[in-house]
Amino acid sequence: MRFLVTGGAGYIGSHACLRLLDDGHVVTVVDNLVRGHRGAVDALRAAGGARLAFLEADLADTATLERALRDDRIDTVLHFAGLTNVGESMEQPLEYHRTNCAGGISLLQAMKTTGVRRIIFSSTAATYGEPPQSAMPLTESTPQCPINPYGRSKLQFEEVLRGECAALKESSPLAAIALRYFNVAGADAKERVGEDHRPETHLIPICLQVALGARPHLTIYGNDYETPDGTCVRDYVHVEDLVDAHLAALTALTPAQFRCWNVGIGRGYSVRAVLESCRRVTGHAIPAIDGPRRAGDPAALYADPTAIMRDMHWRAQWTDLDRIVSSAWKWMRAHPRGYA
Ligand code: UFG
């Protein structure tokens, strides 16, 4: 198959591209390299050779997207490009809406003009907001009430997709799936690509950077949440399991239907539990200090993956936190400065 992958030079997008290339598909990556890495594109080129095309372009550039969709005879779009930091979104809400929602609309417009009608969209558990503990674990029908601009911008684009799939009198209706990711971690087993955010804000890489000596300590954002140890609880899913979910979703795309699935392992770990795991895996003391809460953080988020297991026969293979952390650690030790 022939794929256009937005955000293919980013963390999750690059892992998805690698898998597609390893499986023999043809991939066009569109990435503005604001958050993505040229080094990731190089790794993809090494894996895919002539089956990989790269376009340095912004989602807002509808004309370039149209050209790529048409010239490269794309049949399916995987849409990873976006801004993804909860804390940053509280400071730059407009940027988040512009990139995550308006950028998505530009892509959809290009797809409509060129007749490309299949899209899988990277959505997020942040669209659920701050559900009550009684709502945990989260199913796809848990009400979506985001509490930060990141979650709102992703939910808005879900709504745009839903509307397009339901468009009346559409002779070639859109088929769209949103996968609502929980906390993604880990790296390619062959260490060809991995997690490298600038700035890094995510818990596991920050703990590992402390172990590498690149940071003095971890700051735990809040110890007074209503959770068993007072720190936030999240559901950590390995990036390879997440890529598997995308491959499974390809077979579930149905014209005129918008569908969504949660992708998590169904178990929550607290910030302290993750820290302990990183200490075990690295053998480093990883000093940590308690700090104030980070704006926009819900206390606990973890998935009920029943629907994706039932509908797509997807199963998380990486269910042990130490294994997930080990995978991230392997990449980080091999690439202590990331793609730099
Ligand atoms: N945390 C710290 N110290 C740090 C970094 C993070 O205590 O230095 C805490 C956060 O407060 C949070 C937890 O670790 O409680 C996880 O934080 P991350 O920044 O790693 O991830 P988020 O939970 O903020 O966000 C991620 C994804 C979102 C997704 C969300 C939902 O980036 O796309 O998980 O589970 F929506």
Side-chain angles (χ1 to χ4, degrees), residues 144-174:
Q144 289 174 289
C145 309
I147 61 167
N148 49 56
Y150 168 53
R152 275 194 287 276
S153 63
K154 288 284 189 175
L155 177 57
Q156 281 166 356
F157 191 60
E158 280 196 14
E159 289 306 323
V160 171
L161 288 173
R162 191 188 302 277
E164 267 306 288
C165 288
L168 297 177
K169 299 187 181 162
E170 178 60 79
S171 55
S172 174
L174 187 70

Side-chain angles (χ1 to χ4, degrees), residues 129-152:
E130 172 98 76
Q133 281 313 295
S134 56
M136 228 45 81
L138 301 174
T139 70
E140 290 74 5
S141 52
T142 302
Q144 289 174 289
C145 309
I147 61 167
N148 49 56
Y150 168 53
R152 275 194 287 276

Side-chain angles (χ1 to χ4, degrees), residues 84-87 123-127 150-151 154 181-184 195 200-207 215 217-222 225 231-236 270-271 293-294 296-299 301-302:
T84 61
N85 290 334
V86 170
S123 189
T124 168
T127 59
Y150 168 53
K154 288 284 189 175
Y181 308 165
F182 284 66
N183 290 54
V184 188
E195 187 167 15
E200 188 51 80
T201 61
H202 293 93
L203 178 61
I204 292 177
I206 285 181
C207 288
R215 291 174 186 258
H217 56 75
L218 167 76
T219 302
I220 296 175
Y221 296 143
Y225 285 98
T231 66
C232 290
V233 170
R234 296 287 183 274
D235 182 332
Y236 294 86
S270 71
V271 172
R293 292 181 176 198
R294 182 172 69 178
D297 271 346
L301 285 176
Y302 52 97

Side-chain angles (χ1 to χ4, degrees), residues 5-10 29-37 54-57:
V5 181
T6 73
V29 167
V30 175
D31 198 303
N32 62 8
L33 297 184
V34 169
R35 297 286 156 98
H37 303 277
F54 172 62
L55 272 177
E56 185 173 343

